[in-house]
Amino acid sequence: MRTDSSPGNLPAREHLPAGNAGTPVLDVVIPVYNEEKDLQPCVMRLHEHLARTFPYAFRITIADNASTDTTPQVAARLESQIPEVKSFRLEQKGRGRALRTVWSASEAPVLAYMDVDLSTDLNALLPLVAPLISGHSDLAIGSRLARSSRVVRGAKREFISRTYNLILRGSLQARFSDAQCGFKAIRRDVAQVLLPLVEDTGWFFDTEMLVIAERAGLRIHEVPVDWVDDPDSTVHIVKTATDDLKGVWRVGRALATGSLPLDRIARPFGDDPRDRDLTDVPKGLARQLVGFCVVGGLSTLFYLLLYSGFRNFSGSQVANALALLVSAVANTAANRRLTFGVRGRGGAMRHQAQGLVVFGIGLALTSGSLAALNAATSDPAHSTELAVLIAANLAATVLRFLLFRAWVFPDQRDDAPSNASTVVASHTPSSPTCSTTSAAPQQQRHGQQPPLPQRPTVPQPPYDTTQFRVGEAADRSWGDATMQLQAVRPHDHDDRADHDPRNAR
C-alpha cells in the first residue's frame, strides 16, 4: 500500500464563483480500450448534451490506454472536429491509470468520468457535479442500487454487483451504495491529495479511492441513476472480481495497520464560513469520548485481570503498580491510535512518556485509595479491594481523558498559524514522465480565487494535444510542482466589488 505523505489538511470547501475565463469548469474523461465503434457516437452524444444543458465551459477528454484497433485515429479525428474535445494516448492498459494521469494533469476544478457505452442516463450528469461546484461535497458517484434508481441488466451482473457491495460493507465498513458504477466526479483540490494514496491502476481504482475518501471523512454525494446494461461489454468478470477481492484485502490491511495518513486529507471543522470565526470549539469531542470509553472499559478489564494474577504472589500495592503499569502502556497505545487518530511511529516514545506521567497520577489515586482502605481495616476482603479500585479508576479515567486531550494528544490544528488554510499539494506529474503543451495555472494571490468560467459563445481553437510516455505518470512518479489553494472569505468578494471599475458610476 502506498504511503506517500500528504501535504496537509484540505481547506474548507468553497462554492466556485461564476465568471468568464478560458479554463473549463468540468473535464469529463472517457477511458477507452479498443472502442472504435462506440467512441464517436458516445462523444457526439455527450458533447451535444453538455452544449445544450451545462451552463459552464466544459471539456471532453478521451483517454486511450493502449488500444490496438483504430480507436486512436477516431479520437484524433474527433479532437480536430470539436474544439471541446481533447485526446491523448497511454501505452499501458488500466482504467485507473488513465483516470489518475488525466485528472492529475487537468486544470479544471471539477473532474468526472463515465464509461464509453453511456449506460447511465446523461440527465444525471448535472446533478452529479452540482454538489462539487457548490462546495457541498468532495466526491459524487452515480448509484444503481439506490431505491429511486431504474436499472435494466441481467441477473448475473445484478448478483455480482450486490454481492461485491455487501463484501465492501462487511469488510471495509463502506457506507456508499455502489462502488462500480462508471459515473463519478471529484473536486480537483481533493484529487490532488487523494490520488497519490490510491495504488490500484485497474478496475479497483474507484473502490480504493472511495474507501480512502470515506475513511478520511470526506463527503460523498450519491445520485440515483437510470442505467441500462451494455450486452457487448468487454469487461472480464472473473478476472475483475478476483482483482477486486485482492484489492479489498490490501486496503483492509493498510487501514488496520494505519499505513494510510487519513488524518492529513480530512476537511477542517466548519466548512461554513460563519463557523471559521468560532473559537474554542471542541473538534471531534463526541467521537473521542466514545473511543476513550471503549478503550477505557477494555483497559479496566485488562487491569483487573492483571491485578488478580499479580495478587496471587505479591502484595496489593505491588500487584496494583504492576497491573496499572502494563495496562497504562496498552491504554496509551490504544488511545493514541483509535481515539485521537495518531498514526505512525513519530512521537510514539514521547506519547508513552507523557502517558507514564498520567499513569503516575492514576497510581497515586489508586494507591492512596488502597492505603486508606488498609488503614480502615486490617484485612479487607478481595471484593472490597476491587470495588475501591474501580471507584478510584473511574476518577482517574476522567482526569486521564482531560490530560490526553489537552496535553498528550492536543489537536494539532489549534497550533497552526492563522493562514493555515493555504495548502501546498504536490500533484503534477514530473517532466520525465509526462509532458504537456498546455500552460500551468498561475499562482493565486492571497485572498483571491479565479472566477468560474462560463461556456464560451464563440468557437475556441482546438486544445493542444497532451502526450504521456508509456503511461508511467500513473505509477508513483509525482513531480515537485505545487499549487496554493486559498480559502475565499466573504469580505474578499466585497473588496473586489468595490474596486471593480465596472461598478463606477
Side-chain angles (χ1 to χ4, degrees), residues 32-44 67 69-72 74-75 77-78 116-117 232:
V32 292
Y33 173 72
N34 289 348
E35 298 287 354
E36 58 183 1
K37 294 182 180 179
D38 295 336
L39 179 57
Q40 180 167 338
C42 163
V43 172
M44 298 295 291
S67 293
D69 59 2
T70 61
T71 297
V74 176
R77 183 171 65 251
L78 290 169
V116 70
D117 54 18
D232 299 325

Side-chain angles (χ1 to χ4, degrees), residues 171-194:
S171 59
L172 301 178
Q173 288 78 49
R175 295 190 298 272
F176 48 86
S177 64
D178 192 351
Q180 295 177 311
C181 182
F183 195 70
K184 295 181 176 68
I186 185 173
R187 285 176 64 102
R188 178 173 173 262
D189 57 344
V190 177
Q192 290 170 0
V193 295
L194 182 58

Side-chain angles (χ1 to χ4, degrees), residues 290-308 310 320 322-336 338-339 352 359 366 389-390 393-394 396-397 400 404:
V290 172
F292 184 81
C293 290
V294 172
V295 172
L298 296 177
S299 298
T300 300
L301 292 176
F302 185 47
Y303 161 78
L304 293 176
L305 291 174
L306 290 175
Y307 177 81
S308 299
F310 292 143
N320 173 66
L322 290 176
L324 197 59
L325 176 61
V326 176
S327 61
V329 173
N331 181 277
T332 301
N335 277 305
R336 180 179 187 268
L338 301 176
T339 303
Q352 284 292 349
F359 152 77
T366 53
L389 288 173
I390 290 174
N393 267 287
L394 288 177
T397 297
R400 185 184 304 120
F404 273 172

